[in-house]
Amino acid sequence: MESSFEGLERQRAKRRRVARMKKFIVTTVLVFMLLTISVMSFLLFEVFSLQRQLDSLAKQVYVTTDVENESEMVDDSILDDVYQVDNVDNIAEEGDIPMVYLTFDDGPSSNTDEILDILDDYNVKATFFVCGKDLELYGEQYKRIVDEGHTIGMHSYSHNFGEIYASEDAFAQDYNKIHNLILETTGVDTKYYRFPGGSSNKVSTTSMSTFINYLNNQGVVYYDWNVASGDATSSAFTTEQLIDNVMKDVVKYKTSVVLLHDASNKNATVEALPGLIESLQEQGAMILPITDETTVIQHVNVVQ
């Protein structure tokens, strides 16, 4: 017959086993939680890091289906005689009213009329940097842009990087074609230009200072952008993402020049436009067309 002492020892041994098991379980759970938190922290860091990289690329990279020579990439030496513009004076301060300029590249297109309808619905004026298109198809769209009070600017005639940037003569020929098309179609002697790919593009095999000097001699001002919607990239953004891409950056600047596109394959841009306008208006922004009074936003300029 078991003594009371032996029974007590068994109970104590059982309690010790239970205590060890509880300790093991608690330790295992804590280790698992710490590992999970560590992994999540690492992943969050990587996500934020990737987002910063994407934000930077979205502002610098211009990828469009119109480019025929995307393979003609060159190194930074092509920018040796230009300098990166520092827009520190454009950083927003408390109390500033955001000045926002919606700009549409690559048109006219099958989406132009709908874009103009939306702008008219909200009584908003924008800027269209247009290319050379068939006047039988798009002649009325060039006219409508101007007739409805929007600013029309040049975005090259052909939008063919290899042709436009081959030499100063090639650039001048293309410039004259788009300038004359706009003048003859709308009566506007426009003095605003946007380089295909922006002034900081790395596709041109000729120094961008060559073309910048040419425009300066013509009395033409070129505009880049400091806010990118993301609709120029090969990534497919939803309408909400396009709006978010713009709204998170316009708060940074006194003057925001927003890069958008007027092309037949940019339906998401058209769908996002009403929400974007409403978001900007809720933010208290003034949405304006580019004029001679607009702060010039440029990525690079000629070294003096």
Side-chain angles (χ1 to χ4, degrees), residues 28-280:
T28 302
V29 170
L30 287 174
V31 170
F32 178 77
M33 290 176 63
L34 287 172
L35 285 173
T36 301
I37 292 171
S38 298
V39 171
M40 290 179 63
S41 298
F42 174 77
L43 291 175
L44 282 172
F45 175 81
E46 289 297 307
V47 167
F48 286 128
S49 178
L50 287 171
Q51 186 61 54
R52 286 194 297 270
Q53 294 178 47
L54 287 172
D55 290 344
S56 176
L57 287 172
K59 293 177 184 178
Q60 298 176 29
V61 176
Y62 182 94
V63 181
T64 176
T65 53
D66 290 342
V67 179
E68 297 181 8
N69 294 287
E70 288 181 284
S71 62
E72 295 181 13
M73 301 301 288
V74 296
D75 60 31
D76 289 339
S77 63
I78 212 68
L79 300 177
D80 280 350
D81 50 0
V82 298
Y83 69 92
Q84 298 291 323
V85 175
D86 184 357
N87 289 305
V88 65
D89 291 339
N90 191 39
I91 301 301
E93 299 175 355
E94 187 175 355
D96 286 336
I97 297 175
M99 312 284 280
V100 178
Y101 298 82
L102 302 179
T103 66
F104 296 87
D105 286 6
D106 297 352
S109 75
S110 56
N111 276 323
T112 303
D113 282 330
E114 189 170 358
I115 291 172
L116 289 169
D117 287 344
I118 294 169
L119 294 172
D120 183 59
D121 288 342
Y122 288 90
N123 194 29
V124 164
K125 306 303 179 186
T127 301
F128 290 78
F129 288 103
V130 299
C131 297
K133 301 291 178 71
D134 186 341
L135 291 179
E136 290 188 7
L137 292 175
Y138 297 113
E140 290 306 312
Q141 281 70 33
Y142 288 113
K143 295 175 184 176
R144 186 180 171 192
I145 289 169
V146 171
D147 291 345
E148 296 188 5
H150 304 286
T151 296
I152 193 166
M154 299 167 278
H155 191 46
S156 82
Y157 187 89
S158 69
H159 206 289
N160 184 312
F161 284 47
E163 292 179 5
I164 299 165
Y165 297 138
S167 66
E168 182 176 357
D169 286 343
F171 183 85
Q173 290 178 23
D174 185 274
Y175 167 86
N176 286 324
K177 286 181 70 175
I178 187 61
H179 179 270
N180 291 340
L181 181 149
I182 294 171
L183 179 61
E184 293 168 6
T185 305
T186 69
V188 174
D189 180 14
T190 182
K191 296 298 181 182
Y192 306 118
Y193 192 94
R194 171 166 286 160
F195 288 108
S199 65
S200 60
N201 82 82
K202 296 178 183 178
V203 179
S204 173
T205 54
T206 304
S207 172
M208 290 302 294
S209 65
T210 300
F211 313 125
I212 291 172
N213 278 323
Y214 178 83
L215 293 181
N216 289 341
N217 291 334
Q218 306 305 310
V220 172
V221 179
Y222 66 93
Y223 274 85
D224 290 310
W225 59 91
N226 56 358
V227 176
S229 67
D231 70 348
T233 68
S234 56
S235 301
F237 287 101
T238 65
T239 57
E240 291 79 11
Q241 288 171 324
L242 292 176
I243 295 171
D244 289 342
N245 288 343
V246 174
M247 295 307 300
K248 67 182 177 57
D249 278 344
V250 294
V251 296
K252 301 176 183 178
Y253 306 110
K254 297 175 182 177
T255 295
S256 295
V257 176
V258 181
L259 177 64
L260 298 160
H261 288 82
D262 171 12
S264 58
N265 62 341
K266 303 298 181 183
N267 294 330
T269 302
V270 179
E271 293 168 6
L273 188 55
L276 175 58
I277 292 172
E278 290 174 10
S279 296
L280 289 169

